[in-house]
């Protein structure tokens, strides 16, 4: 190991440790049913700075791990240029922006200050889950059925990952039906290090044709609100997949970043959900809605084999980026 690399590793460890320590020392006023932390205090405690980019509307924190941009009354923030959805909105108190302490701990800090894995277990085995199949067609646009194109995408990703040295399994490699509970079980049986469920999206109603982009879901932490929570039950339950909460959000973030950067997709963000395939996964897991079948531009990425390979490359690159993060 070179002296420069050694210094870099020490600095990374110090930054990570520094990020974890301050939260317990920061003031946490209780508002709207949750503990909050002032953005300015958090930035300063982590060796960074804070400023209003739009007075009383948009604020920015710059810390050693990157930049966080937030808007008052919004759950959508930008972490190093990629959208990420929080469990509750950013709020204003006095002249300051506040984020929920749980969002700092469970989402922001793992992305800006990722801790080195204690075990250093290598990422070798990937299970890809083509959504739907058999009598479940998924979304339908004309004669095109989602189930056929999720399988095509999974095969494209498998080819790229296999070439890169990964061991790759598909939950289904034909037009067959699997129930949702079986899919993460297959990943467990294959001792998967990563589970990725592949889907394509659809919009309806006025303006549906203009809705486009990618979004990546990971499991909602216990007690937290899912992104599309409408009176969701089971919020206080800790699920099997919650054992991987930190790695889940890191995998989702790197996957979304890769799809946006590599495939040029519109950034709809990293989101949270308690989907069956996520809550029962006992390894880091994400569900990708890679593009909209109802949007003409996105549809070309789905149906055109050449353009679909750019999506496949983005998914493969996201997994490779996650491997680098975990094994660094």
């Amino acid at each position: 190991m070179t002296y420069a690399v050694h210094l870099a590793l020490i600095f990374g460890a110090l930054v990570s440790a520094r990020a974890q320590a301050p939260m317990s020392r920061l003031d946490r006023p209780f508002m709207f049913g949750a503990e909050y932390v002032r953005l300015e205090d958090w930035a300063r405690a982590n060796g960074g700075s804070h400023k209003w980019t739009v007075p009383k509307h948009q604020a920015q924190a710059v810390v050693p791990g990157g930049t966080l941009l937030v808007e008052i009354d919004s759950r959508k923030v930008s972490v190093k240029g990629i959208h990420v959805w929080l469990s509750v909105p950013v709020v204003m108190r006095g002249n300051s922006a506040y984020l929920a302490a749980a969002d700092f701990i469970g989402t922001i800090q793992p992305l800006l200050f990722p801790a080195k894995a204690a075990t250093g277990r290598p990422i070798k085995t990937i299970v890809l889950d083509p959504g739907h199949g058999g009598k479940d067609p998924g979304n339908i646009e004309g004669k095109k059925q989602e189930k056929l194109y999720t399988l095509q995408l999974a095969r494209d990703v498998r080819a790229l990952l296999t070439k890169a040295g990964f061991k790759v399994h598909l939950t289904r490699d034909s037009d067959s039906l699997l129930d949702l509970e079986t899919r993460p079980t297959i990943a467990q049986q294959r001792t998967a290090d990563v589970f990725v469920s592949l889907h394509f999206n659809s919009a309806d109603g006025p303006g549906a044709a203009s809705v486009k982009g990618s979004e990546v879901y990971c499991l909602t932490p216990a007690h937290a609100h899912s992104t599309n929570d409408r009176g969701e039950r089971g919020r206080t339950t800790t699920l099997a997949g919650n054992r991987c909460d930190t790695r889940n959000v890191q995998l989702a973030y790197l996957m979304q970043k890769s799809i946006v950067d590599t495939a040029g997709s519109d950034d709809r963000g990293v989101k949270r959900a308690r989907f069956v395939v996520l809550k029962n996964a006992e390894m880091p897991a994400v569900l990708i809605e890679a593009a909209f079948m109802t949007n003409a531009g996105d549809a070309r990425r789905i149906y055109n084999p050449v353009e679909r390979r750019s999506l496949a490359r983005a998914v493969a690159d996201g997994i490779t980026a996650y491997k680098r993060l975990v094994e660094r």
Side-chain angles (χ1 to χ4, degrees):
M1 181 184 296
T2 67
Y3 180 67
V5 171
H6 184 65
L7 283 180
L9 290 174
I10 292 174
F11 176 75
L14 288 173
V15 167
S16 187
R18 189 178 189 183
Q20 300 303 317
M23 287 300 298
S24 61
R25 300 198 299 266
L26 297 178
D27 184 40
R28 299 192 192 188
F30 193 81
M31 305 182 289
F32 311 108
E35 287 186 337
Y36 280 78
V37 171
R38 190 166 73 148
L39 179 62
E40 184 176 355
D41 293 343
W42 176 84
R44 188 182 301 113
N46 284 287
S49 61
H50 163 276
K51 68 176 182 180
W52 286 101
T53 51
V54 179
K56 298 185 179 182
H57 176 68
Q58 186 181 79
Q60 181 187 73
V62 180
V63 295
T67 299
L68 171 65
L69 189 67
V70 310
E71 290 187 4
I72 302 301
D73 295 329
S74 176
R75 296 169 67 185
K76 186 168 70 173
V77 301
S78 173
V79 180
K80 295 187 286 187
I82 295 296
H83 292 141
V84 177
W85 291 78
L86 304 179
S87 62
V88 293
V90 179
V91 300
M92 184 92 169
R93 185 187 187 192
N95 293 317
S96 298
Y98 283 78
L99 279 69
D103 281 325
F104 271 125
I105 294 168
T107 300
I108 302 302
Q109 293 195 172
L111 299 181
L112 290 175
F113 300 98
K116 185 176 180 181
T119 61
R121 174 178 170 173
I123 305 300
K124 295 181 177 179
T125 304
I126 312 299
V127 168
L128 302 174
D129 174 42
H132 310 285
K135 64 181 181 180
D136 174 15
N139 291 315
I140 300 174
E141 288 301 316
K143 295 182 179 181
K144 294 181 169 64
Q145 299 180 336
E146 181 186 359
K147 65 176 183 176
L148 302 177
Y149 295 96
T150 58
L151 180 56
Q152 289 292 342
L153 179 61
R155 288 169 174 169
D156 292 342
V157 176
R158 177 176 60 185
L160 292 169
L161 290 176
T162 301
K163 187 175 180 180
F166 290 93
K167 187 176 182 180
V168 186
H169 303 280
L170 271 57
T171 55
R172 65 177 182 93
D173 203 0
S174 63
D175 184 16
S176 56
L177 178 66
L178 289 174
D179 59 41
L180 296 176
E181 292 80 3
T182 299
R183 296 168 189 258
T185 299
I186 292 172
Q188 184 69 14
Q189 292 169 344
R190 298 291 190 175
T191 62
D193 300 303
V194 170
F195 174 79
V196 178
S197 190
L198 299 169
H199 292 259
F200 293 113
N201 223 330
S202 178
D204 54 21
S210 65
V211 180
K212 59 182 178 177
S214 65
E215 53 195 32
V216 179
Y217 288 85
C218 60
L219 183 62
T220 311
H223 306 284
H225 293 270
S226 296
T227 304
N228 298 320
D229 185 347
R230 297 180 179 88
E232 182 181 32
R233 295 181 179 180
R235 199 179 293 143
T236 60
T237 304
T238 300
L239 303 164
N242 288 131
R243 288 197 291 264
C244 300
D245 275 346
T246 295
R247 291 306 188 196
N248 286 339
V249 72
Q250 290 168 341
L251 174 61
Y253 177 87
L254 291 171
M255 193 65 71
Q256 178 69 0
K257 177 175 173 54
S258 183
I259 296 172
V260 170
D261 291 350
T262 301
S265 297
D266 278 25
D267 180 11
R268 293 177 59 84
V270 174
K271 299 184 176 183
R272 302 284 195 163
R274 291 185 173 92
F275 296 141
V276 173
V277 294
L278 297 180
K279 68 183 185 181
N280 294 336
E282 297 186 18
M283 68 292 298
V286 294
L287 184 147
I288 301 172
E289 294 281 5
F292 277 79
M293 295 171 64
T294 44
N295 176 269
D298 270 15
R300 284 193 294 272
R301 289 192 174 99
I302 301 171
Y303 308 138
N304 183 295
V306 174
E307 294 205 33
R308 189 172 60 245
R309 279 194 286 273
S310 72
L311 276 179
R313 169 54 64 189
V315 173
D317 286 352
I319 291 171
T320 302
Y322 175 75
K323 175 181 172 70
R324 288 196 299 268
L325 174 72
V326 171
E327 297 180 3
R328 76 192 192 286

